[in-house]
Amino acid sequence: MTIETGLDGWLRYAPHPAETSNSYRAISNIIVLNKSKTSPVYTAGKEVQDGLRRILGQKIEISGELSGTPSSSVIIGTVEAFSSTCGKIPEIPELKEDGFWLNTHAENDCVHILGENERGAIYGAFEYLMRLAQGNLNHVKSASNPSAPIRWVNQWDNLDGSIERGYAGPSIFFRNGEVVTDMTRVAQFARLLSSIRLNAVVVNNVNANPKLFSKTNLDGLRRIADTMRPWGVRIGISLYFDSPKKFGGLPTSDPLDPAVNDWWKDITAKVYEKVPDLVGYTIKANSEGQPGPLSYNRTLADGANMFARALKPYGDGVVMYRAFVYNHHLDESVWTNDRANAAVDYFKELDDQFEDNVIVQIKWGPIDFQVREPPSPLLANLRKTKGAIEFQVAQEYLGQQSHYVYMAPLWREILDYDMRIDDKPSVIRDIVSGERLNWSRSGYTAVLNIGSDSTWIGHHLSMSNLYAYGRLAWNPLASSVSIIQDWARLTFGLNETIIDTITKISMESWPTYEKYSGNLGIQTLCDIIYTHYGPSPGSQDGNGWGQWTRANAHSIGMDRTVATGSGNAGQYPPEIAAIYENIETTPDDLLLWFHHVPYTHRLKSGKTVIQHFYDEHYEGAAHAQTFPIEWAKLEGLIDDHRFKQTAFKLQYQAGHALVWRDSVNNFYFGKSKIPDGKNRVGNHIWRIEAEDMHLSGYKTVSVTPAEAASCGKAIVTESNTEPGTAQKELSFPTGIYDIAVNYYDHLGGRSKYEIFLNEGSIGFWTGDLQDKLGHDFSEYLDGHSATRITFRGINVQKGDILKIIGQPDGTELAPLDYVSVLPEGTID
Ligand code: GCU
């Protein structure tokens, strides 16, 4: 089996077994109806040639003219180019922009791949190849059209090569302040995007740097655009609002100042000179410290319209103006303050004031890509102004690609939600497509964080999210299950065990993550002040960021009702508002999003809120343990390289899920003092605290937050050069055990550890997760760095001495939290 790095993603075109390839009729010729090398039609021809060679072993020439009566040919072009030579095909219905017609059994054994435009033609070619690659040789004769014209991704890449919320290596676009020279990865990326029918990428971070406008970088943008264009992918850029001041040397960036407007017109002309098909500008303004029109006492519309007017002379360029405008110094002591209100508060009253090429880009939830939120009420509050929904393929709050969470089910839940605008059906996918409110241009965008890593995204399984996003943006009715099945076939192979295992893990991943991270709509209880990764439920409150839970000793949740709270429920159309206003009709999974209740409040299940928290965390963490076991079934069925990398990540996730479980449960037990009805929280009979071991060269330290350590304490070596030893006589009955060591792996060094039973070594490891995982690492002992390693099937005699020797490195002092000696099958 060949080593696969993941670089081809779902476009591996694995060879079919001989029986299948032989049963497929031979293609004699590929005819491309545009031979210019920069045309997506030509690229499509090359791709089909390559795909047929790899999948079916057929070597086929690309030839030219469509003349005479071609037979056994794949004909690729636009509908128009085809009709002008061969006449109209009456069966082809009216296609939308980017749509295509695919007929695999046209007359004379030809395959017709005909796009409404050239982009449509390449989409059709990929459809044809991906069907073949899945062993689907059925006849197809159908048209396919996108649900919406805007199907973009936003990379948050910085000019220095770092990626905000990127977990897979440095940027493929930028390095050291400039656009890279080698465009190899850019072309490969464009190919992936094109295959899932995404038509544009905004290449730089929304927290933008005006140096993007330097002459060198404008040339660089031209290179990126030229590289992506043959794949039908256009580029856009994010703008820094204060560029006229910071880059142009003007005294102000006031959007009503004529000189500022001229500056933007001028720079826009320069950008279009290099990138004549720029797709537009994305703007994050007056958000998280970014300047914007409000900084000049102008409205958000004044700001957006300035860019819109600058773009107008150049075709269809749009301004994607982000609705993510909020005050991050909000005062929590005011009960009615609520960040979730911000988008509607800012944008609703401006509804009729935007130029027609402005689109408001709205995060799917009111706060920030949490594990569960209701849909953003702004999606139901714009009428004249067009909107686009913003998803996040990057798993910023969902385990940062060190945990696997398949997000299609979450996105489907949002897209299927009926907002009941004017008491009429108003399903979000129909709002986003433009159909419900008659918007002429609208659609989808998603924050993406691919980097230079060969996995693109840091976790082989997480690539399913990029694939699913493309599929849903094209057809929001596609089912999460069929998407993951297609993806698994294309990415890993056609074997049923592969498909079933990946489907099972994927479909269970979001509910599992929700269970061990944050329940009942309380949000992902990660550390929101630092890395957004590991658990830190206390970090949500006591600051101005407004991701509050308002947890105190007795009660928890945001009161977002109109009657007694922030009024956020009232921002939804009346039928929806009535549901959330009333605690009885609010679904349990959003209870704490909309209501502040005692921990003893009973849910519809009959459980109290606090018991539900405890139970869900136990269930979720237990379920995460099944993922590596399920995955192990694929050993030998898929290539070893991806098998092992993924096995390692799922094992890591299983260990970290236990960290999540204990941190969150200990935190709320500490706050509420209400014990777990099942007596699990704080009661770990198989656990040995490191601080209770006999220590030499090690000392006990308190961990912050306390719930990130078992009993609030851990041990670290006394020096940063000399090893420490922790040992303990075991009093468990003689038997076979799994021995799990919970330790911390943070930035600053790569400590080494060895574990012994009596004098026999049972294993050793290095604290080098920073080399193996991509999530945002911490410098401290906390919920991000807490992790576990397990040694299985160890024969333990009562009275054996367990010993760990830790060798510190740099500022990482071989930290240890506890050891669990677990009878087989016990999870703790
Ligand atoms: C989140 C994220 C930031 C990002 C912001 C945005 O808050 O943590 O890194 O800049 O969203 O969407 O602009």
Side-chain angles (χ1 to χ4, degrees):
M1 235 175 232
T2 47
I3 285 184
E4 301 208 34
T5 60
L7 199 58
D8 270 336
W10 49 85
L11 298 176
R12 291 158 60 246
Y13 301 144
H16 275 189
E19 329 71 271
T20 330
S21 359
N22 294 341
S23 74
Y24 194 74
R25 69 186 199 276
I27 299 288
S28 60
N29 192 18
I30 297 167
I31 301 174
V32 292
L33 303 183
N34 185 342
K35 278 188 283 150
S36 141
K37 297 232 155 93
T38 56
S39 149
V41 168
Y42 183 78
T43 314
K46 297 289 284 179
E47 187 72 19
V48 168
Q49 182 183 45
D50 186 44
L52 291 176
R53 181 181 55 77
R54 284 161 70 178
I55 303 169
L56 300 173
Q58 298 187 6
K59 293 201 177 61
I60 303 151
E61 292 301 305
I62 298 183
S63 69
E65 313 310 316
L66 182 56
S67 57
T69 317
S71 67
S72 305
S73 301
V74 177
I75 304 171
I76 309 169
T78 60
V79 174
E80 202 186 324
F82 184 90
S83 330
S84 66
T85 324
C86 298
K88 268 204 159 43
I89 303 179
E91 303 165 301
I92 304 183
E94 189 79 20
L95 295 174
K96 288 193 197 168
E97 178 183 320
D98 295 352
F100 62 87
W101 167 256
L102 173 64
N103 184 354
T104 54
H105 285 72
E107 58 274 18
N108 303 319
D109 265 348
C110 284
V111 175
H112 288 168
I113 301 175
L114 303 176
E116 182 272 343
N117 53 17
E118 297 211 332
R119 191 175 300 115
I122 196 166
Y123 293 170
F126 276 117
E127 172 69 21
Y128 170 60
L129 287 172
M130 290 203 272
R131 280 170 181 266
L132 286 182
Q134 292 186 64
N136 176 352
L137 307 179
N138 295 339
H139 291 200
V140 189
K141 193 207 263 188
S142 62
S144 185
N145 285 303
S147 74
I150 293 182
R151 302 179 309 279
W152 297 15
V153 289
N154 285 209
Q155 282 281 139
W156 285 355
D157 294 25
N158 298 313
L159 302 190
D160 66 4
S162 62
I163 302 176
E164 185 153 339
R165 313 302 171 191
Y167 317 116
S171 169
I172 64 164
F173 295 116
F174 305 104
R175 202 66 50 91
N176 302 326
E178 289 179 5
V179 175
V180 297
T181 40
D182 182 355
M183 288 286 130
T184 313
R185 288 296 296 267
V186 173
Q188 290 165 341
F189 181 42
R191 174 172 173 252
L192 285 173
L193 294 178
S194 178
S195 73
I196 47 174
R197 307 174 197 168
L198 295 173
N199 55 13
V201 52
V202 177
V203 293
N204 62 312
N205 193 354
V206 286
N207 295 315
N209 185 336
K211 292 194 182 127
L212 187 66
F213 293 135
S214 74
K215 197 180 161 313
T216 329
N217 280 332
L218 289 180
D219 275 333
L221 289 176
R222 177 186 54 71
R223 286 200 310 280
I224 296 175
D226 289 352
T227 306
M228 298 193 120
R229 192 174 298 113
W231 297 96
V233 179
R234 295 166 69 181
I235 71 161
I237 55 175
S238 294
L239 302 184
Y240 177 64
F241 191 87
D242 260 356
S243 298
K245 229 162 95 175
K246 290 279 161 56
F247 187 77
L250 265 54
T252 176
S253 298
D254 179 352
L256 295 191
D257 185 306
V260 171
N261 278 267
D262 287 347
W263 191 88
W264 281 113
K265 282 183 186 149
D266 183 54
I267 201 81
T268 301
K270 289 192 172 118
V271 175
Y272 271 88
E273 207 184 293
K274 304 287 180 186
V275 186
D277 57 351
L278 188 86
V279 82
Y281 291 150
T282 297
I283 290 123
K284 170 178 180 177
N286 296 114
S287 169
E288 302 182 331
Q290 291 292 330
L294 304 178
S295 327
Y296 300 91
N297 292 322
R298 307 300 184 194
T299 70
L300 298 175
D302 291 334
N305 292 340
M306 167 178 69
F307 303 114
R309 284 191 296 268
L311 285 173
K312 280 240 161 102
Y314 306 97
D316 63 356
V318 291
V319 175
M320 296 287 262
Y321 202 85
R322 295 182 85 220
F324 190 60
V325 178
Y326 72 101
N327 170 8
H328 68 283
H329 298 288
L330 215 55
D331 181 355
E332 191 174 3
S333 71
V334 180
W335 186 251
T336 50
N337 275 353
D338 187 358
R339 167 172 164 187
N341 284 345
V344 171
D345 284 353
Y346 279 114
F347 283 87
K348 187 179 172 146
E349 63 181 26
L350 300 173
D351 189 29
D352 55 357
Q353 295 180 32
F354 290 100
E355 295 280 345
D356 64 0
N357 56 340
V358 173
I359 293 172
V360 175
Q361 178 170 323
I362 307 167
K363 286 193 183 186
W364 64 263
I367 300 271
D368 202 7
F369 307 132
Q370 300 298 298
V371 69
R372 186 173 294 275
E373 300 184 42
S376 167
L378 187 58
L379 289 162
N381 277 283
L382 297 176
R383 301 297 169 95
K384 295 212 177 81
T385 304
K386 299 175 274 287
I389 198 164
E390 180 178 321
F391 288 126
Q392 193 182 41
V393 171
Q395 294 170 229
E396 178 183 349
Y397 292 92
L398 295 163
Q400 303 193 347
Q401 284 121 261
S402 287
H403 294 227
Y404 173 48
V405 180
Y406 173 55
M407 286 185 274
L410 185 167
W411 297 334
R412 273 298 303 259
E413 236 176 81
I414 295 299
L415 292 170
D416 291 348
Y417 191 101
D418 187 352
M419 282 287 207
R420 305 296 302 164
I421 298 174
D422 299 334
D423 302 327
K424 294 199 188 97
S426 309
V427 181
I428 290 181
R429 60 173 179 269
D430 297 332
I431 298 174
V432 171
S433 72
E435 207 173 287
R436 172 65 182 86
L437 298 165
N438 293 322
W439 291 339
S440 55
R441 229 174 160 69
S442 57
Y444 293 78
T445 185
V447 179
L448 178 60
N449 59 354
I450 63 96
S452 317
D453 192 273
S454 74
T455 64
W456 289 101
I457 210 161
H459 193 316
H460 292 294
L461 294 179
S462 294
M463 277 293 268
S464 63
N465 287 317
L466 174 55
Y467 177 82
Y469 166 67
R471 288 279 303 266
L472 289 173
W474 186 267
N475 173 17
L477 287 169
S479 95
S480 305
V481 169
S482 66
I483 293 174
I484 195 71
Q485 289 177 334
D486 289 350
W487 177 80
R489 268 183 220 109
L490 293 165
T491 307
F492 286 106
L494 307 184
N495 179 297
E496 285 303 317
T497 308
I498 298 178
I499 316 305
D500 294 347
T501 303
I502 291 176
T503 304
K504 182 166 162 36
I505 294 174
S506 302
M507 293 307 292
E508 291 170 355
S509 60
W510 175 41
T512 300
Y513 188 82
E514 183 177 28
K515 284 179 184 194
Y516 67 72
S517 63
N519 328 116
L520 303 175
I522 198 66
Q523 307 169 87
T524 310
L525 293 170
C526 65
D527 185 343
I528 66 143
I529 304 297
Y530 191 28
T531 69
H532 296 188
Y533 179 64
S536 181
S539 71
Q540 315 276 312
D541 294 282
N543 57 62
W545 289 99
Q547 290 184 219
W548 304 323
T549 71
R550 293 195 184 280
N552 58 36
H554 312 285
S555 48
I556 182 168
M558 282 293 287
D559 182 351
R560 293 193 155 108
T561 63
V562 176
T564 56
S566 73
N568 178 262
Q571 289 190 340
Y572 292 84
E575 287 181 41
I576 305 296
I579 293 173
Y580 294 142
E581 184 70 17
N582 181 346
I583 197 164
E584 296 303 323
T585 49
T586 304
D588 278 349
D589 59 15
L590 287 172
L591 177 78
L592 302 180
W593 185 277
F594 284 108
H595 300 278
H596 184 85
V597 300
Y599 292 110
T600 50
H601 173 85
R602 289 214 178 264
L603 303 170
K604 297 183 177 62
S605 64
K607 273 186 197 173
T608 61
V609 164
I610 190 76
Q611 192 58 44
H612 181 87
F613 269 31
Y614 295 151
D615 289 353
E616 292 288 286
H617 280 82
Y618 269 89
E619 269 175 39
H623 202 80
Q625 313 306 310
T626 68
F627 294 161
I629 297 169
E630 286 292 322
W631 183 258
K633 294 180 184 160
L634 304 191
E635 184 158 21
L637 295 178
I638 65 172
D639 59 288
D640 221 34
H641 185 72
R642 289 184 303 165
F643 171 78
K644 283 197 177 125
Q645 281 188 338
T646 306
F648 171 75
K649 294 216 160 163
L650 293 175
Q651 191 57 55
Y652 165 81
Q653 176 176 359
H656 200 231
L658 292 163
V659 171
W660 266 96
R661 180 196 77 180
D662 289 350
S663 292
V664 173
N665 283 348
N666 287 338
F667 179 80
Y668 288 107
F669 178 42
K671 256 205 169 346
S672 70
K673 308 278 184 284
I674 302 174
D676 168 24
K678 296 179 187 155
N679 198 25
R680 296 157 299 185
V681 177
N683 182 20
H684 306 280
I685 54 173
W686 305 106
R687 196 174 278 192
I688 302 164
E689 295 299 331
E691 61 274 18
D692 294 342
M693 296 170 85
H694 179 74
L695 305 180
S696 121
Y698 260 118
K699 63 179 179 193
T700 301
V701 290
S702 296
V703 171
T704 311
E707 67 274 9
S710 188
C711 297
K713 300 217 177 331
I715 61 168
V716 295
T717 54
E718 285 170 344
S719 98
N720 61 3
T721 49
E722 296 306 311
T725 304
Q727 63 180 46
K728 177 93 178 169
E729 183 181 326
L730 299 179
S731 54
F732 303 112
T734 297
I736 305 288
Y737 290 85
D738 291 340
I739 299 187
V741 182
N742 273 58
Y743 65 107
Y744 298 87
D745 191 339
H746 56 81
L747 294 177
R750 290 166 182 81
S751 308
K752 289 198 171 3
Y753 303 83
E754 185 155 16
I755 180 167
F756 301 85
L757 206 50
N758 301 323
E759 287 311 312
S761 172
I762 54 174
F764 52 87
W765 74 98
T766 305
D768 58 357
L769 289 179
Q770 61 267 49
D771 305 325
K772 296 175 176 157
L773 297 169
H775 67 256
D776 280 334
F777 270 82
S778 144
E779 291 178 56
Y780 312 101
L781 272 60
D782 55 22
H784 316 295
S785 57
T787 184
R788 158 176 288 211
I789 188 162
T790 306
F791 302 93
R792 295 186 193 280
I794 310 291
N795 194 338
V796 174
Q797 310 284 321
K798 191 168 180 184
D800 277 355
I801 305 292
L802 179 96
K803 181 169 75 178
I804 301 177
I805 300 179
Q807 173 64 50
D809 180 43
T811 56
E812 192 183 74
L813 305 176
L816 291 168
D817 185 4
Y818 66 88
V819 180
S820 281
V821 182
L822 300 163
E824 270 179 316
T826 307
I827 297 166
D828 194 29

